[in-house]
Amino acid sequence: MVAREEDHDSHTCQFVIRPNSSLGWRSTVWLLLGIATLSGCIATGFALLGAWMILPFAGLEVVVLCIALYICAQRNSRCEVIAVGRESVTVMRGRKEPEEGHEFLRAWVRIVHEQPAHHWYPSRLLIRSHGRAVEVGGCLTEEERKQLACQLEQAIA
């Protein structure tokens, strides 16, 4: 998902790129609590019938599910911000605050939309300048990546 923000006073344009997230953190916690409760009730029922070995496996199942949902939530909270200013193009990445940043001179920046060697691989959108390149929009669909490439080229021109 790409959000574009323009500031006409300072002649800057900003693109915020986030993965499409269908489930927020609060909903994820509620889902996890529901599954853990259901699994615990079923495991307790079997344990009362004499199959007590199901309890540790039900607990292990819930722990693995917790880890998987946490990893997914962490990946969905990542964000890329591309800021096109008067003289520079800045790419920042991170979750709550920028963890990684790259700055390029606007006059030398080239937007490259590389097509893959095989049709089943995703394309790559690169911002290049002076032998350095940064890939952006890795979480986007092919159509969104093409639109972002066109919008970046227009913003830099």
Side-chain angles (χ1 to χ4, degrees):
M1 176 173 69
V2 180
R4 181 179 179 162
E5 303 167 3
E6 292 189 44
D7 186 5
H8 296 290
D9 295 335
S10 62
H11 300 287
T12 60
C13 184
Q14 194 172 38
F15 299 89
V16 181
I17 304 168
R18 290 199 161 110
N20 290 334
S21 179
S22 60
L23 196 63
W25 179 247
R26 186 174 301 230
S27 300
T28 302
V29 170
W30 279 107
L31 174 71
L32 184 60
L33 287 174
I35 291 174
T37 302
L38 181 64
S39 179
C41 289
I42 292 171
T44 303
F46 275 102
L48 292 174
L49 292 174
W52 59 270
M53 275 301 292
I54 200 168
L55 284 173
F57 289 106
L60 181 64
E61 179 183 54
V62 170
V63 168
V64 169
L65 183 61
C66 283
I67 292 169
L69 288 175
Y70 180 76
I71 290 171
C72 287
Q74 290 296 314
R75 288 187 179 170
N76 279 339
S77 66
R78 296 204 50 86
C79 177
E80 292 178 339
V81 177
I82 303 169
V84 180
R86 285 185 177 175
E87 297 178 5
S88 66
V89 175
T90 308
V91 178
M92 294 173 284
R93 292 187 177 126
R95 281 187 357 160
K96 294 181 181 177
E97 59 187 39
E99 298 169 1
E100 175 185 355
H102 304 277
E103 189 168 354
F104 302 97
L105 290 174
R106 181 176 173 169
W108 296 97
V109 168
R110 298 294 172 253
I111 306 299
V112 179
H113 190 204
E114 288 183 352
Q115 296 302 320
H118 298 287
H119 68 278
W120 57 81
Y121 290 125
S123 64
R124 297 176 61 199
L125 181 58
L126 302 169
I127 297 178
R128 285 192 174 159
S129 176
H130 290 95
R132 291 186 316 149
V134 175
E135 183 176 359
V136 295
C139 63
L140 300 176
T141 63
E142 289 297 322
E143 187 61 34
E144 289 174 329
R145 204 173 290 124
K146 287 178 188 176
Q147 289 175 357
L148 178 62
C150 291
Q151 290 176 355
L152 281 172
E153 287 175 356
Q154 289 173 357
I156 290 171

